[in-house]
Amino acid sequence: MIERYMYQDIIQFKMGRAVNNQVLYWAAVYLVDGLLIDTGPAHTARELLEELRREKVRAISSVMLGIRSGDGGLAMISRGTPRCSASRRTWVL
């Protein structure tokens, strides 16, 4: 499940994990001037890639890795998405 919101020049993609039609948690990624900030959970990667087809993504920055924020990056990298970077302060918990 992905919802899309516009905040001036910023696009927010809000992703939820639903079980029995009830969302258990939400995660969000942001697209700002071609920079995708975080990649979301792995289980939404395919759906997020479909949403991003309409956008110009030039780079990806993952500020953290975890079940709700960075796991989807592996799927994007394997599909040839542009430059990726991760924070040096990324901790895997």
Side-chain angles (χ1 to χ4, degrees):
M1 160 187 269
I2 294 183
E3 297 177 358
R4 179 187 180 111
Y5 299 96
M6 294 289 300
Y7 301 97
Q8 296 179 3
D9 294 338
I10 300 169
I11 303 172
Q12 177 193 47
F13 297 95
K14 188 175 171 184
M15 298 162 282
R17 173 64 123 180
V19 175
N20 296 326
N21 294 323
Q22 182 175 0
V23 177
L24 299 178
Y25 65 81
W26 290 98
V29 302
Y30 300 87
L31 184 62
V32 182
D33 195 28
L35 172 64
L36 183 66
I37 301 171
D38 277 336
T39 55
H43 72 272
T44 62
R46 182 174 289 135
E47 191 176 357
L48 180 59
L49 284 169
E50 282 297 316
E51 288 286 328
L52 292 173
R53 286 184 192 271
R54 298 180 275 169
E55 308 298 333
K56 282 190 172 184
V57 178
R58 295 192 318 262
I60 297 171
S61 177
S62 184
V63 295
M64 63 185 278
L65 295 174
I67 192 166
R68 292 186 293 173
S69 56
D71 292 346
L74 298 175
M76 291 184 182
I77 293 167
S78 69
R79 288 174 173 81
T81 305
R83 287 192 332 251
C84 279
S85 67
S87 168
R88 289 184 180 168
R89 294 184 181 187
T90 298
W91 298 348
V92 178
L93 301 175

